[in-house]
Structure formats: structure tokens, C-alpha cells
Amino acid sequence: MQPLRLGSRGAAVAEVRSILTGIGMLRGEAAVDASVPVGSARWNRSEPIFDEHLDLVVRTFQQQRGLLVDGVVGPATYQALRDASYRLGTRTLSYQVAAPMTGDDAATLQLRLQDLGFYRDLVDGYFGRATHEALVSYQGEYGLSADGICGPATLRSLQFLGTRVTGGSPHALTERELVRRSGPRLAGKRIVLDPGLGGTEPGLTVPNPHADNESLTQADIAWDITTRLEGRMAATGMETILTRGRRNSPTVAERAHIANAFGADLMISIQASSSSSPNPNGVATFHFGNSHGSTSMIGSILSGFIQREIVARTALRDCRSHARTWDILRLTRMPVAQVDVGYLSNATDLTLLTNPHTRDIVAEAILVAVKRLYLLDKDDQPTGSYTFSRLLAEEQA
């Protein structure tokens, strides 16, 4: 579907209104049946308009769901709306390899299984292998047919059972224990580095003030910082893999698949941003977290460390660390931190990011943040004071 925004009209706008009504964010529309495709006879009604009130509600929905708040119903927001329209029991849930099922019903199922002690991964509304295995385990223990299909019998059994464990996220405890067991040394850690954009998606192009007749793009900035970070990580004995080459741009799903296949301990995605306005500026970091209360604890800690280290070492504005549900954070099976290092569309950030010295500092800040993560409670160095040379000396001692 084409992106919908203020002023749009048509059947797709009617569907957006109906979904938002069904989840209690709008009044006066008939609730949508999530199984009805856009464009069917169900939507052949007088064309509604995407007005200012709908724009505000869409922005509120995007904020609640950890999406980019722009008021535009693009692919990510539309998928989130469809996911929100599903309630547990409105359809049969099962593991489908080719086209995995997603939705709030899957998230509710994950929460129920987590409370009963069967599910230990992120509550992300993604019915993947981990959810399937947890459901099979639950069904087998409860005396149901262990087929991994959440149908009427399984739903009734879930309604009759209370929780076995409360007071904490099993996934968060598992993440922290894995970090603790791996020890403070960086040598041997497996890290996926994800430079944003690339290939046919270079992003904004700007002049390079440090080289005559040359230009830089968002993809170039992300690539340069990534390779500087990769070199430092290699010096410490870490194993790294990049999600893309110098000239290609895999999809987000492909990047996540690379990370999952590598069996990484962490993933760090590095982006350079741009905006149609010259005003946005500063560095921000992101980790997985959603409206169901599920958060990657290690992703959150790492994002916070990276944010503080970069802000302490550069003149980039502090835009803080945030929880988001973006696919690069949701589809990966390890903690992920995404770093948006600044805006090439802003004059101040442009001056900083086109300077190779700043990019070098950012790469060092990210590595130090990773080291702080693995030090856990033994980290006693003030923010911004831990140098690469000292870190390297400690690693080689």
C-alpha cells in the first residue's frame, strides 16, 4: 500500500480508522476484522479523509508502539496496526516458517507462557521457533496434543491456570547471566556490526570538507565508523562480522538473519541520519522495548553506555537512549544497540561527522561501552575517561 498521511483518502484510510477504533483509540467507527484484506467489498464505502485528528491519533499510536513518530502510515506503522488488531482467541496461532505470524495475540500468548515458566525469550509478538517450542512444552505437560497449535483447547487451558513465577523477566535474567558467565575479557566475544544503508541506498550526499572534489553520504559515514570499530575490536581478539559489504545494502530481515546465523553475543547497528528540516541534531541510541513491557535488558544497558560515552567525548547533542520495536531490534536473537550518530542535514552535526577525528572518537566510545558492559559491577572508570590504549593493555595483560 502507498503511505497514508494528512489529506489522504480512500479505503485504506477507512481501515486505519477502524483498527484504531477497535483498539480503543478512536470513536465512531466500526471495528475492523483483521482477516479482511484492504480493497475488498468490505471497504467500498464513502471515502474518509486522513484528517488532523487521525494524524494525532496515529502519532500517539506510533509513540506507544515504539515507532518513528511522523504521522505517516507506512509499512512499519501499518504492520503494527494490523498486529494491534489481533486479540488472543480471534485466530488459530501456529508456527509458519515461510510467513511467521505476528500480532498482539501472539504477544499475549508469549506472556501467558512466560508467566507459567515455559517461555524465556523476548515478548515480541513474533510466533517463531522459540514460541512454538514453549507452546509444545506447555501442551505436553498439561496433557494436550503437543502440536504447537494454539487453538480452542489450548486457550481454555490457559484461562484455567494461574502463574507459576512472578516478579521479573526470565529473558532479562538469562541475558544478564550470559554476560556474567562470558567474563570481562573481550577476546573471543562474537559481535555483529551493522553499517546502515549502502549500495543503492546511500542516503543524503554532502561535500567532504577534508578532501577536494569528494563527497560523503550517510552510508559512507556509517561504513567508516564501523570499519574503525571493527579494527579496534580485532585488536582485542574479538570476532566480528559485518552485515554488508562496501557497496551493497541487504534488507533488515537479511541483516537479522546474518546476525542470527553467526550466533553473535551482541549486535551493534550504526546509522547516520538526515531530515527534511535542518533543525534535528544529536546522537541517540535505541534498544528493543515494546508496549507489552518486554525489554532487552542488556540491549538497554549497552545503549545507555554507548550514549553516555559518545556524549562525554564529542560535542554531539545528547538525545538519550530509547526503546523501540524496529525490525532490526526485534528480529535478532541477541541484544542489539542501534546508534544514530547525528544528522548530516544539520550544520553542526555535519561539521562534526565529516571530520575523521570525530568518527574515530565515536568508534572508540562504542568499544569502551562494550567493555563496560562485560565488566558489569566491576566498572569503576568515570564516563569518557577509559581510553582504547588502556583497554588494550588490560586485554593483553
Side-chain angles (χ1 to χ4, degrees), residues 62-287:
Q62 290 172 326
Q63 180 67 41
Q64 291 177 353
R65 293 277 164 160
L67 300 166
L68 180 65
V69 181
D70 57 5
V72 177
V73 181
T77 298
Y78 177 72
Q79 182 60 53
L81 283 165
R82 296 289 288 182
D83 287 349
S85 69
Y86 292 112
R87 293 290 180 268
L88 188 61
T90 59
R91 60 176 177 169
T92 299
L93 291 168
S94 62
Y95 180 36
Q96 301 178 14
V97 179
M101 304 179 76
T102 63
D104 280 18
D105 52 351
T108 302
L109 174 62
Q110 290 170 334
L111 282 168
R112 298 273 182 88
L113 293 172
Q114 176 180 278
D115 288 342
L116 292 167
F118 292 94
Y119 184 74
R120 296 177 178 82
D121 280 29
L122 283 171
V123 177
D124 55 9
Y126 178 87
F127 199 114
R129 180 176 294 277
T131 307
H132 171 78
E133 291 175 351
L135 182 57
V136 167
S137 179
Y138 163 75
Q139 290 172 324
E141 184 166 320
Y142 196 75
L144 299 167
S145 175
D147 54 10
I149 298 174
C150 185
T154 298
L155 288 171
R156 283 194 298 271
S157 70
L158 287 169
Q159 293 172 354
F160 294 145
L161 292 177
T163 60
R164 291 182 183 176
V165 293
T166 58
S169 165
H171 181 265
L173 296 174
T174 300
E175 279 193 337
R176 182 176 177 85
E177 181 62 14
L178 287 174
V179 169
R180 188 192 68 79
R181 286 186 179 183
S182 67
R185 291 181 62 83
L186 295 180
K189 302 293 193 297
R190 297 167 67 85
I191 310 295
V192 172
L193 300 178
D194 174 43
L197 299 176
T200 58
E201 300 180 73
L204 181 66
T205 301
V206 297
N208 184 353
H210 298 275
D212 294 336
N213 301 318
E214 289 188 12
S215 61
L216 285 171
T217 65
Q218 290 173 241
D220 291 333
I221 297 294
W223 177 265
D224 185 73
I225 293 174
T226 300
T227 54
R228 291 170 188 266
L229 176 58
E230 180 189 28
R232 285 171 166 79
M233 287 185 165
T236 67
M238 303 177 81
E239 298 179 42
T240 61
I241 185 173
L242 273 60
T243 59
R244 72 169 174 90
R246 186 71 175 84
R247 302 297 178 189
N248 68 319
S249 178
T251 65
V252 171
E254 290 169 341
R255 294 172 192 253
H257 176 73
I258 290 170
N260 293 336
F262 185 58
D265 298 303
L266 300 171
M267 180 176 184
I268 299 173
S269 182
I270 298 172
Q271 311 276 340
S273 302
S274 67
S275 172
S276 57
S277 167
N279 296 321
N281 67 98
V283 57
T285 56
F286 304 92
H287 60 276

Side-chain angles (χ1 to χ4, degrees), residues 294-308:
S294 184
T295 300
S296 170
M297 184 185 74
I298 294 301
S300 175
I301 293 172
L302 177 59
S303 297
F305 281 151
I306 293 174
Q307 182 71 21
R308 291 193 289 274

